[in-house]
Amino acid sequence: MTTYRDAGVDIAAGDETVDRIKGLVRQTFTPGVLADIGAFGGFFELPSGYQAPVLVSSIDGVGTKLKVAVRAGQHDTVGQDLVNHCVNDIAVCGARPLFFLDYFGTGRLDPDVAEQIVSGFVAACKENGCALVGGETAEMPGIYDDGDYDLAGCIVGIVERDGVVDGSRVEAGDVLLALPSTGLHTNGYSLARAVLFEHFEVDDRPDELGGESVGEALLRVHRSYLDAIQALIADDLAHGFAHITGGGIEGNTSRIVPDGLGLEIDWDSWNRPAIFNLIGRLGEVPEEDMRSTFNLGAGLVAVVPPEKRAHAIAVWDAMGETPFEIGHVTG
Amino acid sequence: MTTYRDAGVDIAAGDETVDRIKGLVRQTFTPGVLADIGAFGGFFELPSGYQAPVLVSSIDGVGTKLKVAVRAGQHDTVGQDLVNHCVNDIAVCGARPLFFLDYFGTGRLDPDVAEQIVSGFVAACKENGCALVGGETAEMPGIYDDGDYDLAGCIVGIVERDGVVDGSRVEAGDVLLALPSTGLHTNGYSLARAVLFEHFEVDDRPDELGGESVGEALLRVHRSYLDAIQALIADDLAHGFAHITGGGIEGNTSRIVPDGLGLEIDWDSWNRPAIFNLIGRLGEVPEEDMRSTFNLGAGLVAVVPPEKRAHAIAVWDAMGETPFEIGHVTG
């Protein structure tokens, strides 16, 4: 059994697994990673070219989406969920990710599960240009039941001091442009599980989901909006961005709206993805709870001045995104 | 119920608790924290004066010491354990901590427990000059049993590129100078619990512990060695440092010894703290396992060239530290 501490991934597993994981992690290394110094990863040289660099950091978990992964026996998506969620949380203020670290707490460590989880971190880190520089794996049977685990991820990014997007420029009349979510992302799973597993197994394919299984629909990866956000920032097209997580569209968008202004959301102006309608119908969930628990199909909201609306839509269209308008800021 | 997202501490609790936690967290803010921008904490301005700044980061948990905290109903020390453990992990390479983020996963959130835990983070962050800039609290009854919780912490520090202490200067003949641990610190708790709770309750005061209870002895805080390390670095007195965690004295010190060199440790040259002897005796633990599982009284090892030994000891003595020699590097 090799204790693997290189690149900060602390995991005891068979040599083959360790080598594979080591190889995977190294694929994420960006030029800033100083892999030749120190006994563990985690040395990162700041990129040059910043006048007044500000580090932006965030830490998060995956929530009970993990229980769906365990139930479905599929562990290669939750690592992506975690990285993308973290990236989005710092991207909305204009930051670019630099590096990511993960914590994996479990009962008995299953090397195959560990490798799947790490592969998820790696895939998403590569996609976001973010180095995976540290990790801790804790085997604690007294705290986690067999097969259960928890994940936490910490991301550090960078933004120019005067490039921070904080919503202070948001004005009455600004338009709310949304980008679709891929599904629930990483919020609302306690309610979703309570409702759906009352009626279905993970492999069931209810008609409403058009061929997808319940497990597949629930495990769809929380996507990254980094490139989409950066594209609007590059042309100064938005006054603010909201990553739609716990609290829903209104809860999250209201955070970047200055005091004294409000939001008007036209909840009927877009088609909600089937998974939300299925949960709402089967669980007889009040509309108010649907709106505060789920993203309802909008994963990112950009707050755009009306005169830049067409330009913002064009930029997103050109990237293959499919924006839709969901409301505006009120005075 | 207020959802508290200011300063990145995401916790739903009564207003009074939230205000107290908010106040506690703000006490840790250092000049780098840009608390006036953004909807959440986590904006940190890099300190000036570095030629080639390198960020050093690490993520860690507390391990099953948490089970002792839960058993004893005492939650104000484990936050300190986590912060100090993280600080030490980056301090040994010469880094100073900048900021810290925490993840707290639990079943049902008990606001009193949460406040105790945060108070631990705050106390240690203040002691180490490190800002608490972010946190996530996840309530997941499906993953954690009532009363159980897990903690993860991520620390980011900074070091000058040519100030990194990586053991490359370690030579045969270098002396191993240790500083005492306060107790088990944060490793070896699975074994310690298995042995001690076979014979005792948390409140029992076995003679061997000289008045302390089993719980008190086990919960002694994992201390920070930041100042002690910085003091030797300031006068260029050490070739390397090892933080003694999982793997024991030899496992950790060997990591900073270059290939081709070895270690000779005089295991009988110091008195082991009573807690270790108690565990070893009651559990009939083989000496080999004692050495690889526990710090046995040495929490930090500095690898010091013989001609600087007296100076290093004098510097540490002057700070009120009580160093002891435990061996040397062999060729």
Side-chain angles (χ1 to χ4, degrees):
Chain A
M1 295 281 275
T2 309
T3 300
Y4 171 59
R5 285 194 58 90
D6 195 11
V9 175
D10 188 18
I11 181 170
D15 286 351
E16 277 186 30
T17 307
V18 163
D19 286 344
R20 275 198 302 273
I21 287 178
K22 205 159 152 173
L24 281 172
V25 171
R26 284 194 175 276
Q27 287 176 22
T28 71
F29 283 8
T30 50
V33 178
L34 301 178
D36 59 322
I37 59 174
F40 68 102
F43 289 84
F44 198 93
E45 198 161 42
L46 282 166
S48 58
Y50 283 83
Q51 302 281 15
V54 173
L55 297 179
V56 187
S57 58
S58 184
I59 192 164
D60 229 310
V62 185
T64 54
K65 189 172 188 176
L66 294 178
K67 298 286 286 186
V68 180
V70 170
R71 196 165 178 145
Q74 185 179 350
H75 308 281
D76 58 353
T77 54
V78 289
Q80 300 180 58
D81 290 319
L82 185 55
V83 172
N84 289 336
H85 184 136
C86 287
V87 167
N88 291 336
D89 274 348
I90 63 168
V92 288
C93 76
R96 285 188 175 280
L98 293 178
F99 54 85
F100 177 85
L101 301 91
D102 73 274
Y103 174 82
F104 170 37
T106 183
R108 290 263 153 258
L109 178 65
D110 177 331
D112 178 60
V113 170
E115 192 177 341
Q116 285 189 51
I117 289 170
V118 173
S119 76
F121 293 142
V122 167
C125 279
K126 285 165 71 176
E127 184 189 303
N128 289 285
C130 177
L132 174 58
V133 299
E136 165 77 6
T137 301
E139 245 182 310
M140 299 188 293
I143 294 179
Y144 297 95
D145 293 332
D146 264 5
D148 270 342
Y149 58 87
D150 200 2
L151 295 179
C154 181
I155 191 152
V156 178
I158 192 167
V159 66
E160 195 66 85
R161 180 73 175 85
D162 61 14
V164 173
V165 178
D166 61 0
S168 55
R169 296 161 63 200
V170 169
E171 294 178 340
D174 282 357
V175 168
L176 305 180
L177 287 183
L179 286 184
S181 59
T182 56
L184 271 65
H185 280 185
T186 40
N187 286 93
Y189 278 83
S190 291
L191 178 56
R193 287 163 50 235
V195 170
L196 293 176
F197 295 130
E198 185 73 30
H199 300 265
F200 303 112
E201 293 301 327
V202 269
D203 295 326
D204 287 341
R205 296 179 189 277
D207 293 341
E208 218 144 333
L209 296 184
E212 222 177 0
S213 73
V214 169
E216 286 162 356
L218 288 177
L219 289 178
R220 285 203 196 170
V221 173
H222 186 153
R223 61 158 286 193
S224 166
Y225 295 101
L226 177 63
D227 292 345
I229 292 166
Q230 287 282 319
L232 293 198
I233 287 178
D235 290 346
D236 190 29
L237 297 172
H239 287 161
F241 299 91
H243 179 209
I244 310 306
T245 58
I249 292 169
E250 196 147 31
N252 287 281
T253 310
S254 62
R255 285 208 196 107
I256 54 154
V257 172
D259 290 337
L261 300 182
L263 293 172
E264 188 166 309
I265 296 169
D266 187 352
W267 296 96
D268 301 320
S269 65
W270 75 94
N271 289 325
R272 292 180 189 178
I275 187 70
F276 297 110
N277 294 326
L278 184 63
I279 293 166
R281 181 174 64 77
L282 285 178
E284 296 180 313
V285 183
E287 174 67 4
E288 186 183 321
D289 293 349
M290 291 297 292
R291 292 179 185 183
S292 63
T293 307
F294 299 114
N295 65 59
L296 299 181
L300 179 79
V301 172
V303 185
V304 175
E307 68 277 10
K308 297 188 179 177
R309 179 187 172 283
H311 189 176
I313 289 173
V315 166
W316 272 354
D317 280 348
M319 296 173 70
E321 297 286 358
T322 49
F324 54 104
E325 192 167 327
I326 62 168
H328 61 278
V329 179
T330 59
Chain B
M1 295 281 277
T2 310
T3 301
Y4 171 59
R5 283 195 59 92
D6 195 10
V9 175
D10 187 17
I11 182 172
D15 285 351
E16 276 187 32
T17 306
V18 163
D19 286 344
R20 275 198 303 272
I21 288 177
K22 206 159 151 175
L24 280 173
V25 171
R26 282 193 177 277
Q27 286 176 22
T28 72
F29 284 7
T30 50
V33 178
L34 302 178
D36 58 322
I37 59 174
F40 69 102
F43 289 86
F44 198 93
E45 197 161 43
L46 282 166
S48 58
Y50 282 83
Q51 302 280 17
V54 173
L55 297 178
V56 187
S57 58
S58 184
I59 193 164
D60 229 309
V62 185
T64 55
K65 189 172 188 176
L66 293 179
K67 299 287 285 184
V68 181
V70 170
R71 198 166 177 145
Q74 185 179 349
H75 308 281
D76 58 354
T77 54
V78 288
Q80 300 181 57
D81 290 320
L82 185 55
V83 172
N84 290 336
H85 185 138
C86 287
V87 167
N88 291 337
D89 274 348
I90 63 168
V92 288
C93 76
R96 286 187 174 280
L98 294 178
F99 54 85
F100 178 84
L101 300 91
D102 73 276
Y103 174 83
F104 169 38
T106 184
R108 291 263 153 256
L109 178 65
D110 177 331
D112 179 61
V113 170
E115 192 177 342
Q116 286 189 50
I117 289 169
V118 173
S119 75
F121 293 142
V122 167
C125 278
K126 286 165 69 177
E127 183 189 306
N128 288 286
C130 178
L132 174 58
V133 300
E136 165 76 6
T137 301
E139 243 182 310
M140 299 189 292
I143 294 179
Y144 297 95
D145 293 333
D146 263 7
D148 271 342
Y149 58 88
D150 200 3
L151 296 179
C154 181
I155 192 152
V156 177
I158 193 167
V159 66
E160 196 65 85
R161 180 76 175 82
D162 60 13
V164 173
V165 178
D166 62 359
S168 54
R169 296 161 63 200
V170 169
E171 294 179 340
D174 282 356
V175 169
L176 306 179
L177 288 182
L179 286 183
S181 59
T182 55
L184 271 66
H185 280 184
T186 41
N187 287 93
Y189 278 84
S190 291
L191 178 55
R193 288 164 49 236
V195 170
L196 293 175
F197 294 131
E198 185 72 32
H199 300 265
F200 303 112
E201 293 301 327
V202 269
D203 295 326
D204 287 342
R205 295 177 190 279
D207 292 341
E208 217 145 332
L209 296 185
E212 224 178 358
S213 73
V214 170
E216 286 162 356
L218 287 178
L219 289 179
R220 285 203 197 171
V221 173
H222 186 153
R223 60 158 288 194
S224 167
Y225 294 101
L226 177 64
D227 292 345
I229 292 166
Q230 287 281 321
L232 291 199
I233 287 178
D235 291 346
D236 190 29
L237 297 172
H239 287 160
F241 299 91
H243 179 209
I244 310 308
T245 59
I249 292 169
E250 196 147 30
N252 288 281
T253 310
S254 62
R255 286 209 196 107
I256 54 155
V257 173
D259 290 337
L261 299 182
L263 293 172
E264 190 166 309
I265 297 170
D266 187 352
W267 297 97
D268 301 320
S269 65
W270 73 93
N271 290 325
R272 293 179 189 180
I275 187 71
F276 298 110
N277 294 325
L278 183 62
I279 293 166
R281 180 174 64 78
L282 284 178
E284 296 179 313
V285 183
E287 175 66 5
E288 187 183 319
D289 293 347
M290 292 297 292
R291 292 179 185 182
S292 63
T293 306
F294 300 114
N295 65 58
L296 299 180
L300 178 79
V301 171
V303 184
V304 175
E307 71 276 10
K308 297 188 179 177
R309 181 187 170 283
H311 189 175
I313 289 173
V315 166
W316 272 352
D317 280 348
M319 297 172 69
E321 296 286 359
T322 49
F324 54 103
E325 192 166 327
I326 63 169
H328 61 279
V329 179
T330 59

